[in-house]
Amino acid sequence: MSVPKPIFFRWSGVVLRVRHCPRFIVLPIFVAACLSASAKGAPANAIVLFDGPKGAAYVQATAITLNGKTELRVCDGVPKIDKRTYDALPRTQLTGATSLQRGGNGVMTLTVEAKPVCVVPANLKFDKSPELTPAEAAEQAVLQGVTVSSSLPGAGLPEFKPGVQLVFVAAPDAELAEYLRARRANSEDGWQEFLVRYPSSARLADAKNALAELHMQSAQAAFAQYQQLVSAHKPDIALLKQASAQVQSANQSAGGYRPATKLMDAINKELDTLLDQDRADLQAYRSALQNHSKGYSHLAAAKQHIAQLVEVRPDYAPLLNLRREIVSEQEKMDATLANADSLVSAKRYDEALASLGPYAAFAAEVPRVDAVMTAAYGYHFNLGRELAERRDWDQATAEFRKAVAIRADSREAALALNNAVTESAAARNQQAANLALVQSQEDARRGDFIAAYNALAALPDAQRALVANQLAGLARDYAPAASRRAQKLQEVHLPIRGRADEDAVREACQLLDRASSLTGDPAMKLKHDFLSGKISAYYIEQAKLHLNKPLGSGVGLGWLYLKEAQSYDVNLGIVKDQLKDLMATYAPVYQRRGRLSVGIVIRDQTSRRNSLGFADQMADAIANGLDPSGVPVDIVRRPVEGPDAVQPNFLLVGEILEHRVVKNAGLETLQSKYRAGTHEVKNPAWVQANSDYETANQQLATAQHSLTDAQAQHKKKEIIAAANDAVQQAQQHADELKHKVETTDQMLVEVIVEPYQYTKKTVDLTASIDLAFRINDSSGNVIEPPVSLHKENHKSAAVLENVKPEDTEGITNKSVEPDEAQFLTDLEIEARDALVKSVRERAAGLPAKILQEAHSRAQRGDVDGAAEEYALYLNATPETSSPERQEAAKFLHDQFNLMPPAASKP
């Protein structure tokens, strides 16, 4: 047999020479030598940590031994230990170590100077098995020592099972023992108990941080689950509340705990997002309140939702401020409803209804509002029925109208109202017909059959139908009386020389027209047509007098006279051609002077280099803006100048005072980094996988060696089967690691980054537009104070050049400078819109200026001038009844016997 050669091993500059020793225990020998440097005879004191019946527990003991000794054997790198190997294992001592524990795999690990080594106890027995694994060897370890104290009353040293840990101390330390027990339990109750018992401990910060970390783990788990549900559009505020509570507990446990602060910021962002929904609901509620429409559900939803959010963070200022607004709105409504309820109790139903104000729109959503409206509705509806039973139809109608106004969807109220209106109208018609009949009978007794007939004929259709028989009876006497009356008027008042003659001839026409329609007498029709021709010719002459005034100054009255002439000649055609020629001739003048017309002149006071076409653009915008303004207006672009030119009623003079864009540019050189190239480096993942694979191969070889030995020694089938299983497991593990090595890239490509310079060009644009306009009347007088408009805009943009495509800082080329023309165009659009808006506002006041001028001329005695302004006012205002239009019509009737049509057109 050959003698093994000595092995030389270098460790930190010291060379060791070892003879007759298996090579796999060379390093552990040296480690053990280091560990044995401590004094061998010193007693070992330890805090023994283990799991008791109620959780983590400890025993403090001194004179700690394993199998009666403080000596252990180092087994690092030794998968199997037989008697010969065991005797060769290095020795070490408990004294000087930090801790000793049995891991979950059953192996004992001794920690010295933060370095863990595998150890087995002394006095190992190989009676039952010639070979032991480190875990099997640890099963023979018996923990012995003198118990000093324990967290469990009466407890002694536990069995040295997997999970048991010994922490070596210089002397028994109750505070440290409790700290270690709390750390082993790592529960909120455990840490809280330690903090209460040792509020001044040197380990206070560590304990608080550990407790804070526990809370943070719960907070992060709840927050992550909440975010998952948000992604699925099913947010659970309870999870956000749980996360917030745990974060706050973490902050309370360790003030200023950074992870807690960071997570709380994330929670606040989620709250801000959720608050946006409540803000939108509050705004929708306020809009509904303003528009008198449904929308209380928005406030109710916001109130309920924000109450849940307050539970998440009761101290979050944005949340509290929004809740204050929501509660304020609810309190306003509650106060209003309380007042309305008290008025209903006092039977002041209309006051109660009025007190609801805009809240009445919430009747379908708020039962209290509905109750107030129901009470008011019932009051008016029942009162209306009582009045209807007494046949007081006018009052009944008023009450039913109030009921319908409260409940527009009430069918019974609508039917009752329709019936009351019908009955009320029938009663009024009968009453009016009776009064007219009395007057007619009185006139007939006096022999005035014209007045008697007119008293009934003047009634509205519904009332006239009630006296149809009486009218028919008077027709026989009316026709000859009307003919005689018309003949007298004709004899006295033809030719027409003034207002009295005009009124008489008009009356004669009306008498003959009615008499002719009643009798069908051709002679009366001829007389009527003769007088209509006379009055129509008279009006044409009057029209000519006004139409021939210079510069269209009388076209308004002249056109009204033409319309009067046309109304008398409409079925005759006696002066049809003459009317047609006059209207065709003067229609353009009437369009310009008889209706509201505005000329537009825009003057450019700039250098015009930057504003070519801008004046035309402004003029077009004003014209288009005034066209649909709601006021009938004729727009005149570039009015023709000259002594004979007919000018528009008003002239809008615009000025472009400034219209320019200024560009400034600055240049600077900046630093960045780019990818200059790449090189290959070893992949750390591959290195680790390869190392694990080599270790697995060693373990496989050991397992195969053990199987071979067991088979050679003809050991029991169970031992051989176990060894065979170990080989298969080791083989499977080695195969998996081999696959991992083969599928992992051995080399990684690493980027080489170097600095470089690029250019940044800052372009600054400033555009400004100054506009002004004024409105003059046809005489050139300014009727509105000049209006000035100023628009300005500023824009800066950075243009990046010479940026490398391989830039690693996220910088890219931006080579497009701002478009000066587009920048100025955008400002032009803004200025144009502002100008059009201001012009429309001023134009809306022009009819009032016209009416004011009519008053002024009437006060000066200029009747014709006032009439022209009144006619212009009627053509410049919408065809709706108003006191001003009535005033204008009355003036034209009183002064010129004209009945102007509303907004008549040529």
Side-chain angles (χ1 to χ4, degrees), residues 450 481-491 504 507-509 511-512 527 531:
I450 294 175
S483 178
R484 290 193 296 272
R485 170 74 174 163
Q487 184 63 35
K488 287 184 179 180
L489 291 172
Q490 176 181 335
E491 292 171 356
E507 181 185 353
C509 279
L511 290 169
L512 291 172
K527 291 180 180 179
L531 290 179

Side-chain angles (χ1 to χ4, degrees), residues 257-496:
Y257 192 59
R258 189 173 185 83
T261 303
K262 186 176 180 181
L263 184 55
M264 185 57 81
D265 289 341
I267 291 173
N268 289 345
K269 288 181 180 179
E270 293 295 334
L271 285 174
D272 290 338
T273 300
L274 293 170
L275 285 174
D276 288 341
Q277 173 186 336
D278 294 331
R279 289 191 182 94
D281 275 332
L282 180 59
Q283 182 57 42
Y285 165 79
R286 286 172 170 168
S287 296
L289 201 62
Q290 184 176 2
N291 298 331
H292 293 223
S293 61
K294 288 183 179 180
Y296 174 74
S297 58
H298 292 290
L299 183 66
K303 181 181 176 184
Q304 180 181 1
H305 189 247
I306 206 164
Q308 295 175 327
L309 299 185
V310 168
E311 293 181 2
V312 176
R313 272 213 65 184
D315 59 342
Y316 191 47
L319 192 155
L320 296 178
N321 291 337
L322 183 57
R323 184 181 69 165
R324 192 176 298 112
E325 290 186 55
I326 293 171
V327 170
S328 175
E329 293 291 349
Q330 184 65 57
E331 289 175 347
K332 290 178 186 176
M333 180 176 172
D334 290 343
T336 299
L337 293 181
N339 180 50
D341 289 341
S342 65
L343 291 171
V344 168
S345 299
K347 297 184 179 181
R348 295 157 61 184
Y349 301 106
D350 289 338
E351 293 179 52
L353 190 62
S355 71
L356 290 178
Y359 298 111
F362 299 156
E365 303 170 279
V366 183
R368 289 181 64 188
V369 175
D370 184 69
V372 173
M373 298 185 70
T374 299
Y377 167 82
Y379 168 74
H380 288 294
F381 182 75
N382 293 332
L383 182 56
R385 286 200 298 189
E386 293 176 5
L387 292 166
E389 290 174 359
R390 297 201 298 266
R391 306 191 67 79
D392 188 347
W393 297 112
D394 288 342
Q395 292 299 322
T397 299
E399 294 302 323
F400 287 137
R401 285 191 193 282
K402 292 177 182 178
V404 169
I406 298 169
R407 294 282 192 215
D409 58 347
S410 173
R411 180 175 174 79
E412 62 173 355
L415 291 174
L417 175 60
N418 289 338
N419 181 64
V421 168
T422 301
E423 294 290 346
S424 179
R428 284 197 304 273
N429 288 339
Q430 188 63 60
Q431 183 180 9
N434 291 340
L435 290 174
L437 190 58
V438 170
Q439 181 63 45
S440 176
Q441 290 171 349
E442 178 64 25
D443 292 335
R445 278 195 295 270
R446 290 188 288 102
D448 190 351
F449 295 105
I450 294 175
Y453 186 89
N454 288 341
L456 300 181
L459 292 172
D461 292 345
Q463 297 173 10
R464 191 166 58 248
L466 298 176
V467 293
N469 294 332
Q470 288 83 350
L471 266 174
L474 288 171
R476 292 186 299 272
D477 297 322
Y478 173 81
S483 178
R484 290 193 296 272
R485 170 74 174 163
Q487 184 63 35
K488 287 184 179 180
L489 291 172
Q490 176 181 335
E491 292 171 356
V492 174
H493 296 285
L494 279 181
I496 302 172

Side-chain angles (χ1 to χ4, degrees), residues 48 63-72 94 100 102 108 120-125 136-146 157-161 164 166:
V48 184
I64 292 292
T65 62
L66 260 68
N67 294 350
K69 293 190 175 185
T70 61
E71 182 183 83
L72 301 170
L94 294 176
L100 173 67
R102 283 195 71 186
M108 290 197 307
V120 294
N123 296 333
L124 276 184
K125 306 297 182 182
E136 292 170 342
E139 285 294 330
Q140 297 186 25
V142 177
L143 187 61
Q144 298 170 315
V146 179
L157 287 171
E159 294 182 24
F160 201 23
K161 295 180 178 179
V164 175
L166 282 71

Side-chain angles (χ1 to χ4, degrees), residues 570-896:
V570 65
N571 295 319
L572 305 176
I574 298 173
V575 291
K576 180 178 180 180
D577 292 338
Q578 191 176 5
L579 280 170
K580 184 178 179 180
D581 291 343
L582 286 172
M583 284 187 167
T585 300
Y586 288 97
V589 181
Y590 173 74
Q591 183 72 13
R592 180 67 52 85
R593 295 288 296 170
R595 295 170 56 79
L596 179 59
S597 59
V598 177
I600 299 175
V601 175
I602 304 295
R603 297 166 181 165
D604 193 345
Q605 307 291 351
T606 68
S607 63
R608 302 193 183 184
R609 283 198 303 267
N610 294 327
S611 56
L612 289 176
F614 185 53
D616 291 338
Q617 179 188 352
M618 293 295 101
D620 291 341
I622 293 172
N624 294 332
L626 286 178
D627 189 36
S629 64
V631 178
V633 58
D634 181 37
I635 306 301
V636 182
R637 294 289 307 277
R638 302 183 184 89
V640 178
E641 297 183 359
D644 298 327
V646 178
Q647 299 298 325
N649 303 122
F650 300 97
L651 183 66
L652 187 148
V653 181
E655 306 279 352
I656 303 175
L657 304 175
E658 184 176 12
H659 178 263
R660 63 173 181 164
V661 60
V662 178
K663 177 181 178 181
N664 294 313
L667 201 64
E668 57 182 319
T669 301
L670 301 176
Q671 293 274 352
S672 186
K673 296 178 181 179
Y674 77 105
R675 189 172 75 173
T678 60
H679 63 222
E680 291 188 339
V681 296
K682 282 283 187 180
N683 185 355
W686 182 89
V687 172
Q688 180 63 47
N690 190 56
S691 175
D692 294 342
Y693 177 52
E694 291 177 356
T695 302
N697 281 334
Q698 294 176 3
Q699 293 173 349
L700 176 60
T702 301
Q704 291 171 338
H705 176 69
S706 298
L707 176 60
T708 303
D709 288 349
Q711 291 171 341
Q713 297 173 15
H714 303 289
K715 292 188 176 182
K716 294 180 180 181
K717 292 182 179 181
E718 294 81 359
I719 295 176
I720 293 175
N724 187 50
D725 290 342
V727 169
Q728 291 179 359
Q729 292 176 3
Q731 182 66 57
Q732 182 181 356
H733 184 51
D735 291 343
E736 292 173 353
L737 290 172
K738 179 182 179 182
H739 177 72
K740 184 175 181 180
V741 170
E742 291 174 346
T743 57
T744 303
D745 293 334
Q746 184 175 356
M747 305 299 291
L748 288 180
V749 177
E750 190 174 78
V751 176
I752 302 173
V753 177
E754 293 184 359
Y756 79 100
Q757 294 181 334
Y758 66 96
T759 304
K760 178 181 179 182
K761 181 180 181 182
T762 303
V763 179
D764 189 88
L765 296 178
T766 301
S768 59
I769 297 177
D770 280 323
L771 305 173
F773 75 90
R774 63 184 184 274
I775 298 178
N776 300 338
D777 62 15
S778 58
S779 301
N781 300 316
V782 178
I783 64 169
E784 285 281 1
V787 177
S788 298
L789 294 172
H790 175 74
K791 291 294 177 181
E792 186 174 270
N793 199 2
H794 175 264
K795 182 179 183 179
S796 292
V799 178
L800 305 182
E801 298 174 338
N802 303 321
V803 178
K804 292 184 177 294
E806 302 85 3
D807 189 279
T808 60
E809 304 298 308
I811 300 171
T812 57
N813 272 319
K814 295 181 181 178
S815 57
V816 179
E817 294 188 15
D819 188 336
E820 294 180 52
Q822 185 61 47
F823 182 64
L824 184 59
T825 298
D826 293 342
L827 190 64
E828 288 174 350
I829 293 172
E830 186 179 346
R832 178 199 67 195
D833 293 344
L835 177 63
V836 170
K837 180 176 181 293
S838 184
V839 168
R840 283 168 65 96
E841 291 173 353
R842 298 302 187 278
L846 290 179
K849 298 291 183 182
I850 295 170
L851 188 63
Q852 182 180 352
E853 179 64 18
H855 293 160
S856 176
R857 294 193 179 195
Q859 290 175 356
R860 297 199 304 266
D862 183 1
V863 178
D864 284 1
E868 286 292 325
E869 296 297 327
Y870 277 124
L872 178 60
Y873 178 80
L874 289 173
N875 288 333
T877 53
E879 300 175 13
T880 56
S881 178
S882 68
E884 293 78 11
R885 286 181 64 86
Q886 292 173 6
E887 172 195 332
K890 184 176 185 303
F891 184 90
L892 293 171
H893 177 267
D894 292 347
Q895 299 296 329
F896 297 92

Side-chain angles (χ1 to χ4, degrees), residues 206-223:
D206 292 339
K208 288 183 176 180
N209 285 337
L211 181 57
E213 176 60 25
L214 278 178
H215 289 302
M216 279 304 299
Q217 290 174 0
S218 298
Q220 288 167 345
F223 189 67

